[in-house]
Amino acid sequence: MRIDVVTIFPDYLAALDLSLVGKARTAGILDLRVHDLRDWTTDRHRTVDDTPFGGGAGMVMRPDVWGRAIDDVAGLSAGTPDAAGAVHLVVPTPSGETFTQRTAEALATEEHLVVACGRYEGIDARVAEHYRSAGMRVSELSIGDYVLNGGEVAALVMVEAVGRLLPGVVGNPESLVEESHGAAGLLEYPVYTKPPAWDDLEVPDVLLSGHHARIHRWRRDQALRRTAVRRPDMVRALDVDTLDRHDLEV
Ligand SMILES: COc1cc(COC(=O)c2cn[nH]c2)cc(-c2cccnc2)c1
């Protein structure tokens, strides 16, 4: 998979050279490229924004600069027919659809993502409109109901959430199934490790029993209880089969 991130703060994305995503890049699993939007400006001051039409506070990012940048990194400048259809444009924004594990799973199947990190009050709305009409899939996505100063932090979140799902990135793919928001649709059960006693607190006996069926059942029960307490919205979404599959009565 190739991911191009376009931002006026490329250094913000340096963290992606570390840990899992860094490993994925080195292994050639993830071809991640970070670009400075100002490389596509044409004026001496390398201007990327201007005042909003209709008035109001703040500044808006210009469509012409973004257009040149996205055409370039998406490979549209070469005029290849249907090149737009091969790319999925992701725009992190507070006004987007919610980015969830399901979104990450869907994006992880793409060949080429372009992530446009907005700053100021946002990006001129014609940019998304232009690329949708050019046949590109465009997703305006929110990582949560709060406002950041720019899309870079959200891009870090999305690239990590997507990158770790790519085959070969996470050591044990099994762990992707049981984790919170994973295929089971539940939050993860509590985990324990050595020492067996710490701070007068014990590890639940069942986990020391070696009885795998009982351990599995205890973990499923804990996951459901935790989900019911912390995320009742997720429990309501569970289908009956899921509950049956977990041999759980609710
Ligand atoms: C592309 O347009 C944007 C993008 C961002 C950065 O993303 C987030 O904040 C975010 C992404 N998921 N949840 C929050 C912020 C603004 C923005 C800033 C101030 C006032 N109004 C809008 C606009």
Side-chain angles (χ1 to χ4, degrees):
M1 168 189 265
R2 174 175 162 178
I3 302 180
D4 289 276
V5 182
V6 183
T7 164
I8 58 172
F9 290 119
D11 294 349
Y12 229 111
L13 283 293
L16 291 174
D17 287 330
L18 307 173
S19 83
L20 275 181
V21 178
K23 200 182 95 181
R25 291 178 82 175
T26 315
I29 299 168
L30 175 60
D31 174 9
L32 179 72
R33 308 178 194 193
V34 180
H35 311 269
D36 185 341
L37 176 67
R38 295 191 196 277
D39 290 351
W40 286 277
T41 56
T42 51
D43 64 310
R44 197 155 50 90
H45 300 290
R46 309 186 82 205
T47 311
V48 295
D49 64 314
D50 208 326
T51 52
F53 279 124
M59 301 291 274
V60 174
M61 300 188 99
R62 294 172 53 125
D64 52 341
V65 181
W66 274 109
R68 286 194 293 271
I70 295 171
D71 280 357
D72 205 352
V73 301
L76 309 191
S77 313
T80 328
D82 192 34
V87 175
H88 195 136
L89 176 62
V90 172
V91 184
T93 172
S95 60
E97 294 173 14
T98 304
F99 177 83
T100 66
Q101 190 64 21
R102 304 296 80 84
T103 321
E105 288 161 356
L107 292 177
T109 66
E110 297 279 0
E111 281 306 311
H112 189 180
L113 299 180
V114 173
V115 183
C117 298
R119 283 255 149 194
Y120 311 107
E121 299 305 307
I123 300 174
D124 185 298
R126 288 171 290 179
V127 173
E129 190 179 340
H130 167 78
Y131 287 105
R132 284 194 178 105
S133 59
M136 190 180 287
R137 278 153 298 149
V138 179
S139 296
E140 295 174 76
L141 299 173
S142 166
I143 60 167
D145 293 339
Y146 35 77
V147 180
L148 306 166
N149 285 330
E152 288 77 12
V153 168
L156 285 169
V157 166
M158 294 180 191
V159 170
E160 171 144 334
V162 171
R164 64 191 296 277
L165 296 178
L166 299 178
V169 174
V170 169
N172 173 12
E174 281 268 305
S175 61
L176 293 179
V177 174
E178 287 212 327
E179 63 189 12
S180 290
H181 306 283
L186 296 171
L187 298 181
E188 201 162 274
Y189 46 80
V191 290
Y192 299 81
T193 187
K194 304 179 191 63
W198 171 74
D199 191 30
D200 290 338
L201 298 171
E202 303 284 318
V203 172
D205 289 338
V206 65
L207 298 181
L208 308 174
S209 71
H211 197 296
H212 297 296
R214 284 196 198 135
I215 291 169
H216 179 76
R217 185 178 177 81
W218 179 86
R219 284 174 166 173
R220 280 287 150 260
D221 186 57
Q222 289 293 312
L224 191 66
R225 287 174 191 281
R226 183 178 263 192
T227 309
V229 171
R230 298 179 183 179
R231 292 294 303 275
D233 60 299
M234 286 176 68
V235 173
R236 279 195 293 277
L238 282 178
D239 55 38
V240 176
D241 304 347
T242 302
L243 297 175
D244 288 345
R245 187 150 32 90
H246 297 315
D247 186 24
L248 291 163
E249 307 80 39
V250 179

